[in-house]
């Protein structure tokens, strides 16, 4: 599963994602949002980028939920 599939793969997933694009200085921030009450929400920063190419590469990369362990060589 890629980061794009996890965050935007279905409408149910996309409603919990917020992406902010800032033009000066150029900056992209990706947040996971959740409802706290009927009038408030919270958001947690998932990733931030200073270049569009890095953001696009991250979307295409495999999602890392922290359970993958790499073997040391």
């Amino acid at each position: 599963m890629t980061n794009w599939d996890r965050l935007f793969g279905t409408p149910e997933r996309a409603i919990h994602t917020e992406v902010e694009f800032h033009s000066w200085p150029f900056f992209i921030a990706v947040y996971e949002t959740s409802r706290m009450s009927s009038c408030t929400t919270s958001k947690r920063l998932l990733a931030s980028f200073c270049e569009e190419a890095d953001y696009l590469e991250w979307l295409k990369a495999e999602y890392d939920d922290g359970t993958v362990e790499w073997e040391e060589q």
Side-chain angles (χ1 to χ4, degrees):
M1 172 186 305
T2 64
N3 287 316
W4 187 92
D5 292 330
R6 179 179 171 270
L7 298 174
F8 304 107
T10 65
E12 292 81 11
R13 290 180 183 159
I15 63 171
H16 295 288
T17 306
E18 180 179 328
V19 180
E20 292 180 357
F21 291 87
H22 300 272
S23 61
W24 186 256
F26 186 80
F27 183 76
I28 300 171
V30 182
Y31 296 97
E32 180 178 53
T33 62
S34 62
R35 191 169 193 106
M36 302 279 294
S37 71
S38 61
C39 350
T40 61
T41 60
S42 71
K43 62 184 183 179
R44 179 175 64 98
L45 181 66
L46 296 176
S48 60
F49 308 93
C50 294
E51 294 187 16
E52 183 181 6
D54 293 339
Y55 170 62
L56 296 174
E57 185 177 314
W58 178 79
L59 286 175
K60 294 176 187 174
E62 283 294 312
Y63 168 65
D64 179 12
D65 62 359
T67 60
V68 176
E69 294 184 21
W70 301 100
E71 293 182 17
E72 294 199 27
Q73 297 181 2

